[in-house]
Amino acid sequence: QVQLAASGGGLVQAGDSLSLSCAASGRTFSSYAMGWFRQAPGKEREFVAAITWSGGSTYYAESVKGRFTISRDVAKNTGYLQMNSLKPADTAVYYCAATRRASSFRFVSDYDYWGQGSQVTVSS
């Protein structure tokens, strides 16, 4: 098993940047693909970004492409989500997740392990 802990959320203004971290513990994190999802009040959890085991491939939701960057530091067992040009529509609780299964990495069901959420609030 792997345990995940997300951090770095906060309150920012539109146009600002914020970086989220996801610290992993337990089994070797390098063998897991990692994803970020978000859930706004009253809405379903939605895919934001994902990165493969090797870090060689990344995937983004259209709504964040060009603004968000997912990365990972295997030595630190940590994944990151750099969020730039934030918009009020980005306001949500952000979750990191991990999986060893090969998949599209875009669906909640693709992941086996989840961290606790980190609130991101973007004011206009």
Side-chain angles (χ1 to χ4, degrees), residues 16-49:
D16 285 351
S17 297
L18 201 60
S19 181
L20 300 179
S21 298
C22 179
S25 60
R27 293 196 174 185
T28 305
F29 187 50
S30 61
S31 62
Y32 291 78
M34 188 190 74
W36 287 94
F37 287 73
R38 66 187 181 187
Q39 188 166 18
K43 295 187 177 182
E44 293 187 354
R45 193 169 298 187
E46 65 173 6
F47 169 74
V48 175

Side-chain angles (χ1 to χ4, degrees), residues 2 4 24 27-35 49-59 70-80 97-106 110-113:
V2 63
L4 305 172
R27 293 196 174 185
T28 305
F29 187 50
S30 61
S31 62
Y32 291 78
M34 188 190 74
I51 187 167
T52 55
W53 302 269
S54 65
S57 296
T58 56
Y59 308 90
I70 189 171
S71 62
R72 64 192 302 165
D73 187 329
V74 172
K76 295 182 178 180
N77 267 4
T78 302
Y80 305 94
T99 181
R100 294 188 66 181
R101 294 178 287 127
S103 67
S104 71
F105 303 121
R106 292 178 177 270
D110 290 336
Y111 295 85
D112 299 308
Y113 306 101

Side-chain angles (χ1 to χ4, degrees), residues 55-123:
S57 296
T58 56
Y59 308 90
Y60 296 94
E62 285 299 320
S63 60
V64 306
K65 195 173 292 185
R67 299 188 299 122
F68 290 13
T69 301
I70 189 171
S71 62
R72 64 192 302 165
D73 187 329
V74 172
K76 295 182 178 180
N77 267 4
T78 302
Y80 305 94
L81 184 68
Q82 176 66 40
M83 303 182 292
N84 298 329
S85 303
L86 282 162
K87 305 174 181 180
D90 295 318
T91 295
V93 176
Y94 283 71
Y95 298 88
C96 60
T99 181
R100 294 188 66 181
R101 294 178 287 127
S103 67
S104 71
F105 303 121
R106 292 178 177 270
F107 299 99
V108 171
S109 59
D110 290 336
Y111 295 85
D112 299 308
Y113 306 101
W114 291 84
Q116 90 289 2
S118 183
Q119 177 71 47
V120 172
T121 303
V122 184
S123 64

